[in-house]
Amino acid sequence: MNNISVPQFFKDFTGTIDDFRILIDNLSRGTADPEKYGNAEEQLRLLNELHNSFVGIHPTNANNSIQTADLGEWFYYNHRYYHMRGGGGGGGTQGTQGIRGIQGVQGVQGASGAGVIENAIEVSVNVGGYSVGDTINAGTDYETIMRKLFTTIIDVIATAPAPSKNFSNFPSTTVEVGTVKSFTLGVNWVDGYFVSADPNVYTNERFNELNHTSNGRLPAGCTQGTVTYTGRNISGNQVQNLIVGAETYEYTARVPWSQSTATPKKSNNEPSDVKINAGAKNLTSSFTGKYKYFWGFTQGRTAEPGVEPDYSDVITSQADLNDASKIIKLDGTGGAEWGWLNNVSNAATINSLNSNTHEPYTAHVIVIPTGFHIASAKTSTGVPIDHVDEVYVYTNSFAYTNGGTTTTYDVYIRHSLPSAGIEYKDIKINRNS
């Protein structure tokens, strides 16, 4: 029925008010049933005739029925009125009666049915579909005002784009000094979106219908701009063969985007003014290069009375740190304990070294890079130790290599006889000033 007339449209239409609303929306998009309403151009022409031909007053907007007994002659939808049973299909008299009805009701609406306001009204409260600051223009009919007062129009809310990092082979939080690192920076683009500001009223189903989308979300249509990358030794978005030093490395991908291009619909099918402005997000990751330090227990030694035992041959190489015959952990297993030295004045603290239960491994061992020193310690009862450098005695140094860096490490030992362990607490290691 490609050339359906307005009277024929109402004669043939059956369904609920919601069905009618959906049909009107589909006609506005040219997506209604082509077998009934023709191609897109013909559908828009029909819709225009509907908009221009019929004005009237529906007795109530609360009745979800188009039965004559319930609906009467006039149907109100989207600020327009549609005649539901006059005009055509029933003889010339009925058609004339329909046109006469139209003209008559138009007159009633202008004179006494709805009336119009003479002066503009500036809204000072949030009520119904009005917000503070809105202006109701002079000449607006009371019907329109009342319907807006008693109809809540739900707008949309926006969520900005959320690009995320895609940093390949990026180092973990802490990396040992000298380690050689190569990695690539990248981003995953995630567009922004619009959703109903109140899904309980403006439901996802209705939002999908009006915005031609799914899942209650309308993609914002923001476009990712050119990403810029910054950081040490970076070329483009890549870092190659970085030898990590004792410092913090920070890398950033700055992701810009354009203003949203989508125009979301409010619950009354009107375009929303909500937009997502052009913007950018900085995606940052960092890691810090740190030295390791080592501690544990070694076998106590005896010497002539009044002579300090010589421990200079105990830890003489990097490999000795893993030699169970030379150093053990606090739990008695082989090899040294280790931790990270922070790149600040107070670099690290050993809570306790207690060799009382590790005979004959009764002497304390602390191994730290040149440039750090043992600053203080306390006895087992918490008394500060005077001249800690005379208690933890420097014995020797060795070369320690990691990746592309060789560092000199110094060995300090607190002597204790093989049968007499000792406990010190709160042993602080500081960076040299």
Side-chain angles (χ1 to χ4, degrees):
M1 191 177 297
N2 293 346
N3 293 307
I4 186 170
S5 64
V6 170
Q8 189 67 37
F9 172 88
F10 287 112
K11 179 176 180 294
D12 291 347
F13 179 79
T14 59
T16 65
I17 288 177
D18 283 340
D19 293 334
F20 183 77
R21 288 170 177 157
I22 292 172
L23 177 56
I24 293 297
D25 288 340
N26 287 337
L27 287 173
S28 71
R29 296 190 294 266
T31 58
D33 184 355
E35 294 296 323
K36 291 184 178 180
Y37 306 109
N39 59 33
E41 181 179 350
E42 292 168 334
Q43 292 180 34
L44 291 175
R45 187 185 311 121
L46 172 61
L47 181 63
N48 187 58
E49 292 177 7
L50 291 173
H51 286 171
N52 293 331
S53 298
F54 298 103
V55 179
I57 298 176
H58 188 294
T60 173
N61 69 340
N63 195 334
N64 192 29
S65 168
I66 62 162
Q67 299 302 315
T68 301
D70 298 328
L71 189 62
E73 293 192 22
W74 302 98
F75 171 72
Y76 176 88
Y77 171 62
N78 199 19
H79 306 293
R80 296 183 182 276
Y81 298 89
Y82 299 97
H83 188 273
M84 298 304 292
R85 58 177 179 145
T93 303
Q94 185 176 9
T96 303
Q97 181 181 10
I99 299 300
R100 242 192 347 262
I102 296 164
Q103 296 170 340
V105 175
Q106 281 180 320
V108 171
Q109 184 183 14
S112 61
V116 298
I117 60 172
E118 295 183 1
N119 300 307
I121 300 172
E122 183 174 346
V123 179
S124 60
V125 294
N126 294 320
V127 57
Y130 290 109
S131 300
V132 174
D134 288 349
T135 298
I136 305 174
N137 296 321
T140 303
D141 64 87
Y142 288 110
E143 174 77 11
T144 298
I145 295 173
M146 293 300 292
R147 289 193 178 278
K148 192 163 184 178
L149 280 174
F150 293 104
T151 302
T152 300
I153 299 174
I154 306 300
D155 208 336
V156 302
I157 55 177
T159 297
S164 61
K165 292 179 289 189
N166 183 14
F167 292 4
S168 178
N169 297 319
F170 195 82
S172 57
T173 305
T174 304
V175 179
E176 187 174 5
V177 170
T179 304
V180 180
K181 288 292 185 179
S182 296
F183 47 91
T184 302
L185 307 184
V187 300
N188 296 317
W189 172 248
V190 179
D191 193 8
Y193 58 89
F194 301 99
V195 298
S196 165
D198 186 352
N200 291 322
V201 179
Y202 184 14
T203 64
N204 287 345
E205 180 181 12
R206 180 64 173 165
F207 184 91
N208 292 338
E209 174 191 328
L210 296 184
N211 292 280
H212 316 299
T213 186
S214 60
N215 301 323
R217 289 188 177 191
L218 174 66
C222 297
T223 301
Q224 176 185 314
T226 301
V227 182
T228 55
Y229 300 93
T230 56
R232 288 279 302 277
N233 291 50
I234 193 166
S235 177
N237 68 330
Q238 294 189 335
V239 175
Q240 294 292 331
N241 300 321
L242 171 69
I243 299 175
V244 177
E247 59 184 292
T248 296
Y249 296 81
E250 185 174 275
Y251 293 86
T252 298
R254 182 171 178 79
V255 188
W257 58 78
S258 64
Q259 179 177 284
S260 59
T261 56
T263 302
K265 296 292 186 66
K266 296 185 286 189
S267 61
N268 64 347
N269 202 26
E270 292 180 353
S272 172
D273 293 328
V274 176
K275 289 285 186 182
I276 296 175
N277 293 328
K281 184 176 182 180
N282 290 333
L283 307 174
T284 300
S285 287
S286 64
F287 62 91
T288 301
K290 295 182 179 181
Y291 291 104
K292 286 182 177 180
Y293 72 109
F294 305 87
W295 69 95
F297 309 116
T298 192
Q299 294 188 47
R301 295 184 174 184
T302 58
E304 295 295 327
V307 178
E308 191 75 15
D310 182 11
Y311 287 92
S312 61
D313 61 341
V314 176
I315 306 293
T316 61
S317 70
Q318 187 171 346
D320 289 344
L321 296 171
N322 296 313
D323 188 338
S325 68
K326 296 189 175 184
I327 188 169
I328 63 171
K329 295 180 174 66
L330 275 62
D331 64 2
T333 58
E337 304 273 5
W338 70 270
W340 297 112
L341 290 170
N342 296 316
N343 298 317
V344 293
S345 296
N346 301 319
T349 298
I350 301 173
N351 293 327
S352 174
L353 279 178
N354 185 0
S355 59
N356 282 303
T357 59
H358 293 295
E359 297 178 6
Y361 289 82
T362 52
H364 298 182
V365 181
I366 298 177
V367 183
I368 54 179
T370 297
F372 295 82
H373 66 279
I374 301 172
S376 63
K378 296 177 182 178
T379 66
S380 61
T381 59
V383 177
I385 298 172
D386 293 331
H387 305 292
V388 71
D389 56 327
E390 297 177 4
V391 175
Y392 281 98
V393 178
Y394 167 79
T395 62
N396 64 287
S397 301
F398 63 88
Y400 179 100
T401 300
N402 179 62
T405 301
T406 297
T407 304
T408 299
Y409 270 70
D410 301 328
V411 181
Y412 295 86
I413 292 182
R414 170 42 169 112
H415 162 64
S416 181
L417 294 173
S419 59
I422 191 169
E423 180 181 14
Y424 284 160
K425 294 181 177 180
D426 197 24
I427 305 163
K428 294 189 181 301
I429 301 170
N430 285 2
R431 179 185 285 273
N432 296 347
S433 58

Coordinates of all heavy atoms in Angstrom, one line a residue, residues 84-171:
M84 N -8.4 9.8 15.2 CA -8.4 8.4 15.2 C -9.5 7.7 14.4 O -9.5 6.5 14.2 CB -8.4 7.8 16.6 CG -7.2 8.2 17.5 SD -5.6 7.8 16.7 CE -5.7 6.1 16.8
R85 N -10.6 8.4 14.0 CA -11.6 7.7 13.2 C -12.4 8.5 12.2 O -13.3 8.0 11.6 CB -12.6 7.1 14.2 CG -13.3 8.1 15.1 CD -14.3 7.4 16.0 NE -15.0 8.4 16.9 CZ -16.2 8.3 17.3 NH1 -17.0 7.3 16.8 NH2 -16.7 9.1 18.1
G86 N -12.1 9.7 11.9 CA -12.8 10.4 10.9 C -12.1 10.4 9.6 O -10.9 10.0 9.5
G87 N -12.7 10.7 8.5 CA -12.1 11.0 7.2 C -11.9 9.8 6.3 O -10.9 9.1 6.5
G88 N -12.7 9.5 5.3 CA -12.4 8.5 4.3 C -12.7 7.1 4.8 O -12.8 6.8 5.9
G89 N -12.9 6.2 3.8 CA -13.2 4.8 4.1 C -14.6 4.6 4.4 O -15.0 3.4 4.5
G90 N -15.4 5.6 4.7 CA -16.8 5.4 5.1 C -17.8 6.3 4.4 O -18.8 6.5 4.9
G91 N -17.4 6.8 3.3 CA -18.3 7.6 2.5 C -17.9 9.1 2.7 O -17.2 9.5 3.6
G92 N -18.5 9.9 1.8 CA -18.1 11.3 1.8 C -18.5 12.0 3.0 O -17.9 12.9 3.5
T93 N -19.7 11.6 3.6 CA -20.2 12.3 4.8 C -19.3 12.2 5.9 O -18.9 13.1 6.6 CB -21.6 11.8 5.1 OG1 -22.5 11.9 4.0 CG2 -22.1 12.5 6.4
Q94 N -18.8 10.9 6.1 CA -17.9 10.7 7.2 C -16.6 11.4 7.0 O -16.1 12.0 8.0 CB -17.6 9.2 7.3 CG -16.8 8.8 8.5 CD -16.6 7.3 8.6 OE1 -16.9 6.6 7.7 NE2 -16.0 6.9 9.8
G95 N -16.1 11.4 5.7 CA -14.9 12.2 5.5 C -15.0 13.6 5.8 O -14.2 14.2 6.4
T96 N -16.2 14.2 5.4 CA -16.4 15.6 5.6 C -16.5 15.9 7.1 O -16.0 16.9 7.6 CB -17.7 16.1 4.9 OG1 -17.6 15.8 3.5 CG2 -18.0 17.6 5.1
Q97 N -17.2 15.0 7.8 CA -17.3 15.1 9.3 C -16.0 15.1 9.9 O -15.7 15.9 10.8 CB -18.2 13.9 9.8 CG -18.4 14.0 11.3 CD -19.2 12.9 11.8 OE1 -19.4 11.9 11.1 NE2 -19.7 13.0 13.0
G98 N -15.0 14.2 9.4 CA -13.7 14.2 10.0 C -13.0 15.5 9.8 O -12.4 16.1 10.7
I99 N -13.1 16.1 8.6 CA -12.4 17.4 8.4 C -13.0 18.5 9.3 O -12.4 19.3 9.8 CB -12.5 17.8 6.9 CG1 -11.8 16.7 6.1 CG2 -11.8 19.2 6.7 CD1 -10.3 16.6 6.4
R100 N -14.4 18.5 9.3 CA -15.1 19.4 10.1 C -14.7 19.3 11.6 O -14.5 20.3 12.3 CB -16.6 19.2 10.0 CG -17.3 20.4 9.5 CD -18.8 20.4 9.6 NE -19.5 19.1 10.0 CZ -20.0 18.3 9.1 NH1 -19.9 18.5 7.8 NH2 -20.6 17.2 9.5
G101 N -14.5 18.1 12.0 CA -14.1 17.8 13.4 C -12.7 18.4 13.7 O -12.5 19.0 14.7
I102 N -11.9 18.3 12.7 CA -10.5 18.8 12.8 C -10.6 20.3 13.0 O -10.0 20.9 13.9 CB -9.7 18.5 11.6 CG1 -9.5 17.0 11.5 CG2 -8.3 19.2 11.6 CD1 -9.0 16.6 10.1
Q103 N -11.3 21.0 12.1 CA -11.4 22.4 12.2 C -12.0 22.9 13.5 O -11.6 23.9 14.1 CB -12.1 23.0 11.0 CG -11.4 22.7 9.7 CD -12.3 23.0 8.5 OE1 -13.5 23.1 8.6 NE2 -11.6 23.2 7.3
G104 N -13.1 22.2 13.9 CA -13.8 22.6 15.1 C -12.9 22.5 16.3 O -12.8 23.4 17.1
V105 N -12.2 21.4 16.4 CA -11.3 21.2 17.6 C -10.2 22.2 17.6 O -9.8 22.7 18.6 CB -10.8 19.7 17.7 CG1 -9.9 19.6 18.8 CG2 -12.0 18.8 17.8
Q106 N -9.6 22.5 16.4 CA -8.6 23.5 16.4 C -9.1 24.8 17.0 O -8.4 25.4 17.7 CB -8.2 23.7 14.9 CG -7.2 22.6 14.4 CD -6.8 22.9 13.0 OE1 -7.6 23.4 12.2 NE2 -5.6 22.7 12.6
G107 N -10.3 25.2 16.6 CA -10.8 26.4 17.2 C -10.9 26.3 18.7 O -10.6 27.2 19.4
V108 N -11.4 25.2 19.2 CA -11.6 25.0 20.6 C -10.3 25.1 21.3 O -10.1 25.8 22.4 CB -12.3 23.7 20.9 CG1 -12.3 23.4 22.4 CG2 -13.7 23.7 20.4
Q109 N -9.3 24.5 20.7 CA -8.0 24.5 21.4 C -7.4 25.9 21.5 O -6.9 26.3 22.5 CB -7.0 23.6 20.6 CG -5.6 23.6 21.3 CD -4.6 22.8 20.5 OE1 -4.8 22.6 19.3 NE2 -3.5 22.4 21.1
G110 N -7.6 26.7 20.4 CA -7.1 28.1 20.5 C -7.8 28.9 21.4 O -7.3 29.8 22.0
A111 N -9.2 28.7 21.5 CA -10.0 29.7 22.3 C -10.1 29.3 23.7 O -9.8 30.0 24.6 CB -11.4 29.8 21.6
S112 N -10.6 28.0 24.0 CA -10.9 27.7 25.4 C -10.5 26.3 25.8 O -10.4 26.0 26.9 CB -12.4 27.8 25.6 OG -13.1 26.9 24.8
G113 N -10.1 25.4 24.8 CA -9.7 24.1 25.1 C -8.4 24.0 25.9 O -8.3 23.4 26.9
A114 N -7.4 24.7 25.4 CA -6.2 24.7 26.1 C -5.7 26.1 26.5 O -5.3 26.3 27.6 CB -5.1 24.1 25.2
G115 N -5.9 27.1 25.6 CA -5.5 28.5 25.9 C -4.0 28.6 25.8 O -3.3 27.6 25.8
V116 N -3.5 29.8 25.8 CA -2.1 30.1 25.8 C -1.8 31.1 26.8 O -2.6 31.9 27.3 CB -1.7 30.6 24.4 CG1 -2.0 29.6 23.3 CG2 -2.4 31.9 24.0
I117 N -0.5 31.1 27.2 CA 0.0 32.1 28.2 C 0.4 33.4 27.4 O 0.9 33.3 26.3 CB 1.2 31.6 29.0 CG1 2.4 31.2 28.1 CG2 0.8 30.4 29.8 CD1 3.6 30.9 28.9
E118 N 0.1 34.5 28.0 CA 0.3 35.8 27.4 C 1.8 36.3 27.6 O 2.4 36.9 26.7 CB -0.6 36.9 27.9 CG -2.1 36.6 27.6 CD -2.9 37.7 28.1 OE1 -2.4 38.7 28.7 OE2 -4.2 37.6 28.0
N119 N 2.4 35.9 28.7 CA 3.7 36.4 29.0 C 4.7 35.2 29.3 O 4.2 34.2 29.8 CB 3.8 37.3 30.3 CG 2.9 38.5 30.1 OD1 3.0 39.3 29.1 ND2 2.0 38.7 31.0
A120 N 5.9 35.4 28.9 CA 6.9 34.3 29.1 C 7.1 34.0 30.6 O 6.9 34.9 31.4 CB 8.2 34.7 28.5
I121 N 7.3 32.8 30.9 CA 7.6 32.4 32.3 C 9.0 31.8 32.5 O 9.4 30.9 31.7 CB 6.5 31.3 32.8 CG1 5.1 31.8 32.6 CG2 6.8 30.9 34.2 CD1 4.1 30.8 32.9
E122 N 9.7 32.4 33.4 CA 11.1 31.8 33.7 C 10.9 30.8 34.9 O 10.5 31.2 36.0 CB 12.1 32.9 34.1 CG 13.5 32.3 34.4 CD 14.5 33.4 34.6 OE1 14.2 34.6 34.3 OE2 15.6 33.0 35.1
V123 N 11.3 29.6 34.7 CA 11.1 28.5 35.6 C 12.1 28.7 36.8 O 13.3 28.9 36.5 CB 11.2 27.1 35.0 CG1 11.1 26.0 36.0 CG2 10.2 27.0 33.9
S124 N 11.6 28.7 38.0 CA 12.5 28.9 39.2 C 12.6 27.6 40.1 O 13.2 27.6 41.1 CB 12.0 30.0 40.0 OG 10.6 29.8 40.5
V125 N 11.9 26.5 39.7 CA 12.0 25.3 40.4 C 12.2 24.1 39.4 O 11.8 24.2 38.2 CB 10.7 25.0 41.3 CG1 10.6 26.0 42.4 CG2 9.5 25.0 40.4
N126 N 12.7 23.0 39.9 CA 12.8 21.8 39.1 C 11.5 21.1 39.3 O 11.2 20.6 40.4 CB 14.0 21.0 39.5 CG 15.3 21.6 39.2 OD1 15.5 22.3 38.1 ND2 16.2 21.5 40.1
V127 N 10.7 21.0 38.2 CA 9.4 20.3 38.3 C 9.1 19.7 37.0 O 9.2 20.3 35.9 CB 8.3 21.3 38.8 CG1 8.2 22.5 37.8 CG2 6.9 20.5 38.9
G128 N 8.6 18.4 37.0 CA 8.3 17.7 35.8 C 9.4 17.8 34.8 O 10.6 17.4 35.1
G129 N 9.1 18.2 33.6 CA 10.1 18.3 32.5 C 10.8 19.6 32.5 O 11.6 19.9 31.6
Y130 N 10.5 20.5 33.5 CA 11.2 21.8 33.5 C 12.3 21.8 34.5 O 12.2 21.2 35.6 CB 10.1 22.9 33.9 CG 9.1 23.1 32.8 CD1 7.8 22.8 32.9 CD2 9.5 23.8 31.6 CE1 6.8 23.0 31.9 CE2 8.5 24.0 30.6 CZ 7.2 23.6 30.8 OH 6.3 23.9 29.8
S131 N 13.3 22.6 34.2 CA 14.4 22.8 35.2 C 14.6 24.3 35.4 O 14.1 25.2 34.7 CB 15.7 22.3 34.5 OG 15.6 20.9 34.3
V132 N 15.2 24.6 36.6 CA 15.5 26.0 36.9 C 16.2 26.7 35.8 O 17.2 26.2 35.3 CB 16.3 26.1 38.2 CG1 16.7 27.5 38.5 CG2 15.5 25.5 39.4
G133 N 15.7 27.9 35.4 CA 16.3 28.6 34.3 C 15.6 28.5 33.0 O 15.9 29.2 32.1
D134 N 14.8 27.4 32.8 CA 14.1 27.3 31.6 C 13.1 28.4 31.4 O 12.6 29.0 32.4 CB 13.3 25.9 31.6 CG 14.2 24.7 31.4 OD1 15.4 24.9 31.1 OD2 13.7 23.6 31.6
T135 N 12.8 28.7 30.1 CA 11.8 29.8 29.8 C 10.6 29.2 29.0 O 10.9 28.5 28.0 CB 12.4 30.9 29.0 OG1 13.5 31.5 29.7 CG2 11.4 31.9 28.6
I136 N 9.4 29.4 29.5 CA 8.2 29.0 28.8 C 7.8 30.2 28.0 O 7.4 31.2 28.6 CB 7.1 28.5 29.7 CG1 7.6 27.4 30.6 CG2 5.9 28.0 29.0 CD1 6.7 27.0 31.7
N137 N 7.9 30.2 26.7 CA 7.6 31.3 25.9 C 6.2 31.7 25.8 O 5.3 30.9 26.0 CB 8.1 31.1 24.5 CG 9.6 30.9 24.4 OD1 10.4 31.6 25.1 ND2 10.1 29.9 23.6
A138 N 5.9 33.0 25.7 CA 4.6 33.5 25.5 C 4.0 32.8 24.3 O 4.6 32.6 23.3 CB 4.6 35.0 25.3
G139 N 2.7 32.5 24.4 CA 2.0 31.8 23.3 C 2.0 30.3 23.4 O 1.3 29.6 22.7
T140 N 2.7 29.7 24.4 CA 2.7 28.3 24.7 C 1.3 27.9 25.3 O 0.8 28.6 26.2 CB 3.8 27.9 25.7 OG1 5.0 28.3 25.1 CG2 3.8 26.4 25.8
D141 N 0.7 26.9 24.7 CA -0.6 26.5 25.2 C -0.5 25.7 26.5 O 0.5 25.1 26.8 CB -1.3 25.6 24.1 CG -0.6 24.3 23.9 OD1 -0.9 23.4 24.6 OD2 0.2 24.3 22.9
Y142 N -1.6 25.8 27.3 CA -1.6 25.2 28.6 C -1.5 23.7 28.5 O -1.0 23.1 29.4 CB -2.9 25.6 29.3 CG -3.0 27.0 29.8 CD1 -3.8 28.0 29.2 CD2 -2.1 27.5 30.8 CE1 -3.8 29.3 29.6 CE2 -2.1 28.8 31.2 CZ -3.0 29.7 30.6 OH -3.0 31.0 31.0
E143 N -2.1 23.1 27.5 CA -2.0 21.7 27.3 C -0.5 21.2 27.3 O -0.1 20.3 28.0 CB -2.7 21.2 26.1 CG -2.5 19.8 25.7 CD -3.4 18.9 26.5 OE1 -4.3 19.4 27.2 OE2 -3.3 17.6 26.5
T144 N 0.3 21.9 26.5 CA 1.7 21.6 26.4 C 2.4 21.8 27.8 O 3.2 20.9 28.2 CB 2.4 22.5 25.4 OG1 1.8 22.2 24.1 CG2 3.9 22.2 25.3
I145 N 2.1 22.9 28.4 CA 2.7 23.1 29.7 C 2.3 22.1 30.7 O 3.2 21.5 31.5 CB 2.3 24.5 30.3 CG1 2.8 25.6 29.4 CG2 2.7 24.7 31.7 CD1 2.3 27.0 29.7
M146 N 1.0 21.7 30.8 CA 0.5 20.7 31.8 C 1.2 19.4 31.5 O 1.6 18.7 32.5 CB -1.0 20.6 31.8 CG -1.7 21.9 32.2 SD -1.3 22.3 34.0 CE -2.0 20.9 34.8
R147 N 1.2 19.0 30.3 CA 1.8 17.7 30.0 C 3.3 17.6 30.4 O 3.8 16.6 30.8 CB 1.6 17.3 28.5 CG 0.2 17.0 28.2 CD 0.0 16.4 26.8 NE -1.4 16.1 26.6 CZ -2.0 15.0 27.0 NH1 -1.3 14.1 27.7 NH2 -3.2 14.8 26.8
K148 N 4.0 18.8 30.1 CA 5.4 18.8 30.5 C 5.6 18.8 32.0 O 6.5 18.2 32.6 CB 6.1 20.0 29.9 CG 7.7 19.9 30.0 CD 8.3 20.8 29.0 CE 9.8 20.6 29.1 NZ 10.6 21.5 28.1
L149 N 4.7 19.5 32.7 CA 4.7 19.5 34.2 C 4.6 18.1 34.8 O 5.2 17.8 35.8 CB 3.6 20.4 34.7 CG 3.9 21.9 34.7 CD1 2.6 22.6 35.2 CD2 5.0 22.2 35.6
F150 N 3.7 17.3 34.2 CA 3.4 16.0 34.7 C 4.1 14.9 34.0 O 3.7 13.7 34.2 CB 1.9 15.7 34.7 CG 1.1 16.7 35.6 CD1 0.4 17.7 35.2 CD2 1.2 16.5 37.0 CE1 -0.2 18.6 36.0 CE2 0.6 17.3 37.9 CZ -0.2 18.4 37.4
T151 N 5.1 15.2 33.2 CA 5.9 14.2 32.5 C 7.4 14.4 32.8 O 7.9 15.5 32.5 CB 5.7 14.3 31.0 OG1 4.3 14.1 30.7 CG2 6.5 13.2 30.3
T152 N 8.0 13.5 33.4 CA 9.4 13.6 33.6 C 10.2 13.2 32.4 O 10.1 12.1 31.9 CB 9.9 12.7 34.8 OG1 9.1 13.0 35.9 CG2 11.4 12.8 35.0
I153 N 11.0 14.1 31.9 CA 11.8 13.8 30.7 C 13.2 13.5 31.2 O 13.9 14.2 31.9 CB 11.9 15.1 29.8 CG1 10.5 15.4 29.2 CG2 12.8 14.8 28.6 CD1 10.4 16.7 28.4
I154 N 13.6 12.3 30.9 CA 14.9 11.8 31.3 C 16.0 12.0 30.3 O 15.8 11.6 29.1 CB 14.8 10.3 31.7 CG1 13.7 10.0 32.7 CG2 16.2 9.8 32.2 CD1 13.8 10.7 34.0
D155 N 17.0 12.7 30.7 CA 18.1 13.0 29.8 C 19.1 11.8 29.8 O 18.8 10.7 30.4 CB 18.8 14.3 30.2 CG 19.5 15.0 29.0 OD1 19.8 14.3 28.0 OD2 19.7 16.2 29.1
V156 N 20.3 12.0 29.3 CA 21.3 11.0 29.3 C 22.5 11.5 30.1 O 22.6 12.7 30.4 CB 21.8 10.6 27.8 CG1 20.6 10.1 27.0 CG2 22.5 11.8 27.2
I157 N 23.4 10.6 30.5 CA 24.6 10.9 31.1 C 25.8 10.3 30.2 O 25.6 9.3 29.6 CB 24.7 10.4 32.5 CG1 24.5 8.9 32.6 CG2 23.8 11.2 33.4 CD1 24.7 8.4 34.0
A158 N 26.9 11.0 30.3 CA 28.0 10.6 29.4 C 29.2 10.1 30.2 O 29.4 10.5 31.4 CB 28.5 11.8 28.6
T159 N 29.9 9.1 29.6 CA 31.1 8.6 30.2 C 32.2 8.8 29.2 O 32.1 8.4 28.0 CB 31.0 7.1 30.5 OG1 30.0 6.9 31.5 CG2 32.3 6.6 31.0
A160 N 33.3 9.5 29.6 CA 34.4 9.9 28.7 C 35.1 8.6 28.2 O 35.0 7.5 28.8 CB 35.3 10.8 29.4
P161 N 35.8 8.7 27.1 CA 36.6 7.6 26.6 C 37.6 7.1 27.7 O 38.0 7.9 28.6 CB 37.4 8.1 25.4 CG 36.5 9.2 24.9 CD 35.9 9.8 26.1
A162 N 37.9 5.8 27.7 CA 38.7 5.2 28.7 C 39.8 4.3 28.1 O 39.8 3.1 28.2 CB 37.9 4.3 29.7
P163 N 40.7 5.0 27.4 CA 41.9 4.2 26.8 C 42.7 3.5 27.9 O 42.8 4.1 29.0 CB 42.7 5.2 26.0 CG 42.3 6.5 26.7 CD 40.9 6.4 27.1
S164 N 43.3 2.4 27.6 CA 44.1 1.7 28.6 C 45.5 1.4 28.1 O 45.7 1.4 26.9 CB 43.4 0.4 29.1 OG 43.3 -0.4 28.0
K165 N 46.4 1.2 29.0 CA 47.8 0.9 28.6 C 47.9 -0.5 27.9 O 47.3 -1.5 28.3 CB 48.7 0.9 29.8 CG 48.9 2.3 30.4 CD 49.8 2.3 31.6 CE 49.1 1.6 32.8 NZ 49.9 1.8 34.1
N166 N 48.8 -0.6 27.0 CA 49.2 -1.8 26.4 C 50.7 -1.8 26.2 O 51.2 -1.7 25.1 CB 48.5 -2.0 25.0 CG 48.8 -3.4 24.4 OD1 49.3 -4.3 25.1 ND2 48.5 -3.6 23.1
F167 N 51.4 -1.9 27.4 CA 52.8 -1.8 27.4 C 53.4 -3.2 27.4 O 53.2 -3.9 28.4 CB 53.3 -1.0 28.7 CG 52.9 0.4 28.8 CD1 52.2 1.0 27.7 CD2 53.3 1.2 29.8 CE1 51.8 2.4 27.8 CE2 53.0 2.6 29.8 CZ 52.3 3.1 28.8
S168 N 54.1 -3.5 26.3 CA 54.6 -4.9 26.1 C 56.0 -5.0 26.7 O 56.9 -4.2 26.5 CB 54.6 -5.2 24.6 OG 55.2 -6.5 24.4
N169 N 56.1 -6.0 27.6 CA 57.4 -6.3 28.3 C 57.9 -5.2 29.2 O 59.1 -5.1 29.5 CB 58.5 -6.6 27.2 CG 58.3 -7.9 26.4 OD1 57.8 -8.9 26.9 ND2 58.5 -7.8 25.1
F170 N 56.9 -4.4 29.7 CA 57.3 -3.3 30.6 C 57.8 -3.9 31.9 O 57.2 -4.9 32.4 CB 56.1 -2.4 30.8 CG 56.5 -1.1 31.4 CD1 57.0 -0.1 30.6 CD2 56.4 -0.9 32.8 CE1 57.4 1.1 31.2 CE2 56.8 0.3 33.4 CZ 57.3 1.3 32.6
P171 N 58.9 -3.4 32.4 CA 59.5 -3.9 33.7 C 58.5 -3.9 34.9 O 57.6 -3.0 34.9 CB 60.7 -3.0 33.9 CG 61.0 -2.5 32.6 CD 59.7 -2.3 31.9

